[in-house]
Amino acid sequence: MGTKVFVEMRKQLGLAGPLIASSILECSLQTISVIFVGHLGELSLSSSAMATAFAWVTGFSVMLGMAGGLDTLCGQAYGAGKYSMLSIHMQKAMVVLVVVCIPIAILWAFSGQILLGLGQDTEISVAAESYARMMIPSLFAFGLVQSHFRFLAAQNLVLPILLSAGSTSLLHLLLCWLLVYKTSLGNKGAALAISISHWFNLLLVLAYVRLSPACKETWIGFSKEGLHVHGVLEFIKLAIPSALMTCLETWSFDVLIILSGLLPDPKLETSVMTVSLNISSLTFMICYGFGTAISTRVSNELGANHPKDARLAVRVMLSLAAVEGLVVGLVLFSARNICGEAFSNEREIVESIAKMVPLLAFSHIMDGIRCVLSGAIRGCGKQKIGAIVNFVAYYFVGIPTSSLLALVFHFRWKGLWAGLMCAFLVQDLTYGIIILRTNWEKEALKASGTV
């Protein structure tokens, strides 16, 4: 048993390491832009932060979530040895995601009016709309990149994902410096840099999938079967609940941004919440990498009809996530007095962030457990259950508690985050119960196509 645990741990670290690094690098595109813009002034920071939040809540989270349907389809197909199906599944995803991008792009074009309708500051809303419009091209590239990343991850081809994300981040640093500080674009230059970087990332991953011998068996070229109505519906049935799993969670974070705009000092409160979410998002990418890795491991083992190995994979990954959570939480707490300085020169913002970081450190521990359990649920194809859990956790527990603590009891941004942590706790407990009650033998039979 000890040998199996060691072998499983080595597999998971080999998967999770590059996935964590690539997730952090990919997330860093938004964060790098906010950092560059933050030094232009409080309005630039708050408006770009508002636009970034709006873009995530209405677009990027939808793409990320819908692509999660490939975690199940590609992962189980690869485990079952049905290699050509990975190409077909990815083509379905690409078609669906591009179509979904069109109405989202229209929404972004009128984001300023929407933010004003939600009661946001006029000056912030107008500037946020200009920022969001410059990011529209990035939306289409992001959806296609996510489809390719899931296709590669299902085959355990994670190093190309890391190299692509790393190259893109380096380019993005240069672009932000040039477009923000060396042109008259200002904060809009940071948004344009995001669009250029995402398209560069897409070109890199397209070249690898179509030219690499590693994808020779799984990439069969474009096929009519990938456009078959039945096959597209098969993807949509998983993609919609998968998107809801991601979006219901992501939307709750952005509701906090909107709520922070209703507090007495909206520019300060919005800036503090945005910087906190950026810090949390960066550390969350470690957990997200664990979640993607366990989703791959579970779906591969279920597709290969190895239920005991799938169950063992979940237990090992939970142990790794718990250790990582404690380590990163301690690092965050130790660096609490300097975290804010990376995002702003405003002393009040920096001091407020220092007070918020202990809460971020504690919530990161819960993030790791939640991501592993939700990743296992995606690997089993139980996205519908996950969507229900997230809806209850955030919209019946988290957001009402945040609103009460921040707006009624006047705990401001601390109250907003404390309510969110209540939602994390509900998720962790409910996901844990679901995984404990999972019939792994039955799931393996379904995934391997023997029933």
Side-chain angles (χ1 to χ4, degrees), residues 63-81:
M63 296 295 103
L64 192 67
M66 292 190 75
L70 293 179
D71 287 346
T72 305
L73 294 173
C74 285
Q76 293 184 357
Y78 188 77

Side-chain angles (χ1 to χ4, degrees), residues 291-312:
T292 304
I294 192 59
S295 179
T296 299
R297 289 292 304 126
V298 167
S299 60
N300 283 173
E301 295 298 348
L302 291 179
N305 199 12
H306 298 153
K308 292 183 179 179
D309 291 336
R311 182 168 50 226
L312 175 65

Side-chain angles (χ1 to χ4, degrees), residues 38-49:
H39 294 284
L40 295 177
E42 193 173 44
L43 175 62
S44 293
L45 174 60
S46 57
S47 62
S48 62

Side-chain angles (χ1 to χ4, degrees), residues 256-273:
L256 296 189
I257 296 287
I258 293 171
L259 289 175
S260 69
L262 303 178
L263 294 173
D265 187 349
K267 288 183 181 178
L268 171 64
E269 304 289 355
T270 301
S271 296
V272 170
M273 281 306 302

Side-chain angles (χ1 to χ4, degrees), residues 194-426:
I194 290 173
S195 290
I196 296 172
S197 297
H198 277 301
W199 277 98
F200 177 75
N201 198 10
L202 176 60
L203 290 175
L204 289 179
V205 75
L206 281 173
Y208 179 82
V209 169
R210 282 144 186 80
L211 300 176
S212 172
C215 299
K216 185 178 180 181
E217 289 186 279
T218 53
W219 173 251
I220 60 172
F222 289 101
S223 166
K224 290 183 179 179
E225 193 174 350
L227 300 175
H228 195 278
V229 174
H230 176 74
V232 171
L233 289 175
E234 179 189 16
F235 171 73
I236 291 175
K237 286 179 182 178
L238 279 173
I240 291 177
S242 181
L244 286 173
M245 275 187 74
T246 301
C247 291
L248 289 170
E249 186 169 332
T250 303
W251 291 346
S252 67
F253 300 152
D254 294 295
V255 168
L256 296 189
I257 296 287
I258 293 171
L259 289 175
S260 69
L262 303 178
L263 294 173
D265 187 349
K267 288 183 181 178
L268 171 64
E269 304 289 355
T270 301
S271 296
V272 170
M273 281 306 302
T274 301
V275 172
S276 299
L277 285 169
N278 271 278
I279 294 171
S280 179
S281 294
L282 276 176
T283 57
F284 176 80
M285 288 300 107
I286 303 174
C287 307
Y288 182 78
F290 281 142
T292 304
I294 192 59
S295 179
T296 299
R297 289 292 304 126
V298 167
S299 60
N300 283 173
E301 295 298 348
L302 291 179
N305 199 12
H306 298 153
K308 292 183 179 179
D309 291 336
R311 182 168 50 226
L312 175 65
V314 176
R315 293 175 178 174
V316 172
M317 188 61 86
L318 280 172
S319 301
L320 291 173
V323 173
E324 177 276 331
L326 288 171
V327 172
V328 173
L330 287 172
V331 171
L332 271 178
F333 184 79
S334 301
R336 63 190 181 281
N337 292 320
I338 62 173
C339 288
E341 294 179 358
F343 293 86
S344 178
N345 296 324
E346 302 286 338
R347 179 48 47 188
E348 192 174 9
I349 293 177
V350 173
E351 291 176 353
S352 298
I353 294 301
K355 296 175 183 177
M356 177 68 97
V357 168
L359 287 177
L360 302 181
F362 186 72
S363 64
H364 178 73
I365 299 173
M366 292 189 282
D367 279 344
I369 295 176
R370 184 173 80 258
C371 283
V372 171
L373 294 174
S374 64
I377 284 173
R378 290 197 309 273
C380 294
K382 294 184 176 183
Q383 284 92 332
K384 289 182 181 179
I385 296 175
I388 294 170
V389 171
N390 286 4
F391 179 69
V392 173
Y394 288 104
Y395 299 90
F396 281 83
V397 178
I399 291 175
T401 304
S402 292
S403 302
L404 187 67
L405 293 175
L407 302 176
V408 178
F409 292 102
H410 306 294
F411 286 107
R412 300 168 58 198
W413 31 265
K414 287 184 180 179
L416 292 176
W417 200 269
L420 196 63
M421 290 173 67
C422 293
F424 294 165
L425 181 60
V426 171

Side-chain angles (χ1 to χ4, degrees), residues 83-138:
Y83 300 131
S84 63
M85 288 302 299
L86 273 77
S87 179
I88 293 169
H89 289 318
M90 182 173 68
Q91 289 174 53
K92 300 172 193 172
M94 291 167 65
V95 170
V96 172
L97 293 183
V98 167
V99 171
V100 172
C101 281
I102 297 172
I104 295 174
I106 296 172
L107 195 67
W108 285 14
F110 298 97
S111 55
Q113 293 92 315
I114 296 171
L115 291 171
L116 284 171
L118 293 172
Q120 299 304 299
D121 179 82
T122 302
E123 197 175 11
I124 293 176
S125 298
V126 171
E129 183 177 277
S130 297
Y131 194 95
R133 286 182 174 182
M134 296 295 280
M135 285 199 298
I136 288 175
S138 69

